[in-house]
Amino acid sequence: MSLDAFLDALKTDRSLSDNVVAWHVAPGRNGSFAPFPDGVPSALRDVLARRGIARLYSHQAETCVHASAGRDTLIVTPTASGKSLSYNLPVLSSMLTEDADRRPTALYLFPTKALSQDQVAELHGLASELGDAIGCHTYDGDTPPDERRIARDRCDILVTNPYMLHVGILPNHARWVSFFRRLRWIVVDELHHYKGVFGSSVANVFRRLVRIARHHGGSPTFIACSATIHEPAAHFRRLTGRNPVVVDRNGAPAAERHHVFYNPPVMVPALGIRARAVDHVRKLTRRLMEQDVPSIVFGRSRSRVEVVTKYLRDAAAELGMPESKVATYRGGYLPALRREIEQGLRGGAIRMVAATNALELGVDIGALDAVVMMGYPGTIASYFQQAGRAGRRSGLSLSLLVGTSVPLDQFILTHPERVLAGVSESPVINPDNPVLLAQHVKCAAFELPFRRGDGFGDSPDAAELLRWLASEGGVLLERGDKYHWMADAYPAQDVSLDFVDPDSFIVLDTKDDTSLGMVARSDAATTIHEHAIYQHQGEQYHVEKLDWDGRRAYATRAAVDWYTDAETETKVAVLTEDERVETVAAIEGRGDVHVTTLATVFKRIRFYTHETLDSGNIALPPEELDTTAMWFALSEELVMRARLREGTRAGAVPGIAHLLRGLAPIFVRCSPADVRGFGEFEHDHFERPVIMLMDSVRGGVGFAETFFAKRRELVLAARDALAKCPCELGCPSCIGLNRGGRESKEAAGVVLDLLAAWSGTVRTASEETWEARS
Amino acid sequence: MGSPFLDRLRRLGVAPDGRLAAAGAPAPRPSVAVAAPAAEGGAPPVAGLEREGPSWVLTRRVSIYTRHGAAPLNPIDGLPTWAAAASRDPRFHDIPLEAWRFVDTETTSLHGGAGVWVFLVGIGRYVDGEFVVRQHLLAGPHLESDFLDAVRREIEDGRALVSFHGKSFDAPRIDDRFRLQGLEAVCRGRPHLDLIHPVKRHARNLWGDVRLRTVEERWLGFHREDDLPGAECPAQYFAWQRGGRHRLAEVFLHNHLDIVSLAALARRLLPVYGGAADIGCPVAAGMDRYEGGDPLGGLALMRAARPDVRVHRPLWVRACRAALAAGDLDLGRRLFRQVEADHPLDTGVAALRRRIDRLTARISQVPTRRQLAKERPKPHT
Ligand SMILES: [Zn+2]
């Protein structure tokens, strides 16, 4: 087999094998099967039999039994384990066993339209083979008005997304009475996708959904699917307010899979600069092509994928292969084109595909033997989703991660066990963020009056909030024993699921005025000031103009080899200390803070070498933010031991904040923009040096609480990352640039050692699991 | 007061209307006192408002011999036949004028959605030489089911609805309220003449808008003075509900005048349909008739149209097709020339051109350009 030859080369060819930092073989596994449970009607069995499904994987049968008994069920299995059949089975079975007018209905929710395409195609296929009896409709922004009416009037299965549910369906539930009256199923796919502000908002949308369903007499059961994440049941509970039965024994067979982590060599030791990942990907894919191994290369951005595609085509030409054997695949491709690529792969006409991460979810392009990742895809869940693209049911497959020099990649390459344990970061949400809660209680009150004493999901603050909204100048009116909506507005329209602050900035492409993305106001001054380089889906855009009052930025695509970094003057006032643990090393705590940030200057910094090219001033108003934070306020004893008052060693304090923030995505599912780091040597509140991690969202969505609970893990990971960073003077992968050089890097090491040694008098369950795994 | 949650809420800048203050500027501290209850048990908010069971009703009578602006109100023969044509609903043939219910509502928002209250439903009808308008007021959000009962009785007492823009606005909103209370909808399925459609057909090209205000001024000679704009009505209701100063009486008047205008407008549009009118568009009237079940009458009206009427493209295209289908090539050509002059590049117009060419060719037996092109020998490839 050709993949064997490639693996041999990877083991024996020094030019490759020297860069392999980890090699893990996940053994193959036979499937575990089960017969159809009794409740599955023969009509459905027949349709499945025609598709070659005569028996089920054990987890499919298990899910069907639990869900059919009315238990909320959470399926936690890897990619390509047949999870959509797991939820379609109980849903369709229940529909086939009731008369049309009493037939249960189901709401299928996918985080975005793109993630639903294949599941919906499969569902439509099943529904139509079962006869016209079951009406399955997609209801989203692209659904034309006529079809919307049909969906409302006779819909058994409604496929939609949280945005549509929030702004279109729930506020108009009077038009969906017959659907909600019969609502028995809420199917939530990609549960791990619901994180941060979005997840916290959706948790509130679920509170509203269940309220409306109950009002009309429906009593829905949740079935959710998740990638393998840390504490999945807890996430399910935070999101839905219910305790699920967890089905996590995967019955699907798997082939043997090799996970190889590959780190390009260090070229400039002082600054820790490594060879470019793309050059090594070029080398490796060429070998794969020589061996004719059907493969896919994932890149983080479209432009990188374009570069790789070019390399692949060049290699094909050199090897005398037709160029048509190489295909590119991007999000947004039409089904016909996708099928063409799939067929090409199956028939052997296509042997190499280069793809952006857009392909990661919800799309099945057939079986390949090797996956090459150019850069760590950001989360463990994504890693396994991409790795899952390779591997037929038998034989062996390869997942090859080629690291880039960003801190997260380097941490992962030096700690492969974190990934290979297969347990992804916990998504963090906080449905009870007061701002989000107020917005969604408003929406809920619009939808249906609250009775005095009614709760809102499991929120402890609903009663108080309702009184507040009914106070003078409020939107509610208390009459009889209820709070009634009494305002001229459509509140859902003003409530974003993605942002707490409604007045976010929109970034427009100067080329055609299309929207590139949104930036929270609190990040605007540092990320989209004039002349900033704005990163969007891995592409770089130069901000030409920022219209502060109009909340708009205009940016032009720019292929530059530098990025911008804004410096800020930040003041953090501590408002409450909700938790406080004092150790010899530090006061460890968390609470509410008020942050004032003034962006002062920005620097242009060259990629790879990190040299500062030049700098400019930023003249924008200061940004105010009320949020939650966790902190270490260092003790005098620690300051003395680490000699922080000497020379430039105080630079260790902001340096550690930088490092902790960079490592945050290892512990929770978040992006760098979700969390801010702050370090100050003389902080007013504690009168000590303070290292802080803050939630970057007004009111916080739970990061501070989570980091506080995991603070010991964080410190250990930071100590480790610092020790393993090959730089001498401090670099973006560790304490950042220009933070005092060798001295402060050394001091940072001492501080982290002492924090680790003395901290953590309070131990938490999550720490123990971390220790067990590491 | 002093609760940690409310303190946090204020600090985060959340106001009692749920709006967010700019970051760093905490919301003003409002008093947590709830406004005094509205006058549900006390004096009526509007003079003349009376209790009918649990519901508040204001009744006004207008003699049918008065004029609404310049427009007469007295019923004339032929209204049901016209209504059947104008609404494309033959059930109107059998519904006498006395069983029509002229409906207009005031709601707490122009947005849709479950949180929008229908707080005033005015219903007018002809009774014994009078046009009687009864306006039902929602005395408080907690009293909605009684209110809806009264509205249902009023509507079900008649057999058809007449409104302006009510098919897509008032009726669905009324029905939504019934559904939200777990009750059967009352408007859906009922014969409903929405006057906005004939007005659109006749007037769209004349004025550029089809608001009831414009129709009143142009066709009814009725001018409102100091009328409360519709957009300000919700605020008056909220003010009353919260025990504040309000101008609810003006909301009632506004609603009343809308309903009288409905009756006057129906009366005014009928002669248009008969072909004997000083207003409106004969082609639109002809199509009303044609599509309403009287094709010959419709074509006759269109033939009588003067050549200088303003052209409305979609209507003209439809009318032209109708004429051609009926075999009236002359009328078809005439309508076509009018629409072609204004819209030479439109695809619908181009399709008509081909069809007329074809019909002309068939009559004169002269081959068309297309046929000639077909017969030309093709070069071999
Ligand atoms: Zn470093």
Side-chain angles (χ1 to χ4, degrees), chain A residues 725 727 730-731 734:
Chain A
C725 190
C727 76
C731 72
C734 58

Side-chain angles (χ1 to χ4, degrees), chain A residues 271 722 725-735 745:
Chain A
L271 295 168
L722 187 71
C725 190
C727 76
E728 289 164 20
L729 306 174
C731 72
S733 305
C734 58
I735 60 167
K745 191 181 175 190

Side-chain angles (χ1 to χ4, degrees), chain B residues 316-325 327-341 347-371:
Chain B
W316 252 249
V317 169
R318 264 190 10 252
C320 184
R321 279 200 210 112
L324 296 177
D328 190 340
L329 191 56
D330 279 345
L331 178 60
R333 277 209 198 98
R334 205 162 82 214
L335 292 165
F336 171 72
R337 275 197 294 273
Q338 288 177 341
V339 68
E340 189 191 34
T347 52
V349 173
L352 278 177
R353 183 182 300 122
R354 288 193 297 275
R355 188 159 163 199
I356 287 177
D357 276 358
R358 223 167 30 241
L359 288 169
T360 309
R362 196 175 298 159
I363 289 168
S364 60
Q365 295 299 323
V366 175
T368 61
R369 270 170 301 177
R370 211 185 198 190
Q371 281 167 331

Side-chain angles (χ1 to χ4, degrees), chain A residues 140-282:
Chain A
D140 59 30
D142 300 335
T143 310
D146 284 352
E147 282 178 37
R148 289 186 182 201
R149 203 168 316 118
I150 293 168
R152 280 201 296 265
D153 289 351
R154 37 168 201 277
C155 182
D156 298 308
I157 300 178
L158 182 66
V159 180
T160 188
N161 57 56
Y163 301 95
M164 207 59 195
L165 186 61
H166 159 63
V167 83
I169 297 172
L170 290 176
N172 291 298
H173 63 101
R175 312 254 160 106
W176 295 88
V177 172
S178 110
F179 179 79
F180 283 117
R181 184 164 44 78
R182 296 177 289 142
L183 184 62
R184 189 186 297 170
W185 305 107
I186 299 172
V187 174
V188 186
D189 206 340
E190 312 282 357
L191 192 78
H192 54 280
H193 218 83
Y194 295 95
K195 62 168 180 79
V197 174
F198 178 61
S200 307
S201 301
V202 170
N204 280 298
V205 173
F206 285 155
R207 290 167 165 178
R208 287 159 53 196
L209 168 64
V210 169
R211 207 171 155 258
I212 295 299
R214 290 234 175 92
H215 170 77
H216 292 292
S219 120
T221 298
F222 278 88
I223 309 179
C225 297
S226 169
T228 313
I229 55 175
H230 197 62
E231 298 173 347
H235 184 53
F236 181 100
R237 188 169 55 244
R238 281 193 297 272
L239 203 58
T240 65
R242 301 172 179 212
N243 283 313
V245 176
V246 178
V247 175
D248 55 4
R249 281 186 303 272
N250 178 16
E256 180 177 303
R257 173 169 298 150
H258 291 242
H259 296 269
V260 178
F261 285 20
Y262 184 104
N263 206 3
V266 175
M267 312 295 278
V268 186
L271 295 168
I273 296 166
R274 293 180 177 275
R276 298 197 314 160
V278 65
D279 294 332
H280 282 258
V281 166
R282 179 184 196 171

Side-chain angles (χ1 to χ4, degrees), chain B residues 154-170:
Chain B
E154 196 86 46
I155 288 175
E156 288 188 341
D157 183 41
R159 292 172 55 199
L161 301 175
V162 183
S163 69
F164 192 84
H165 199 32
K167 248 186 166 154
S168 48
F169 188 86
D170 306 68

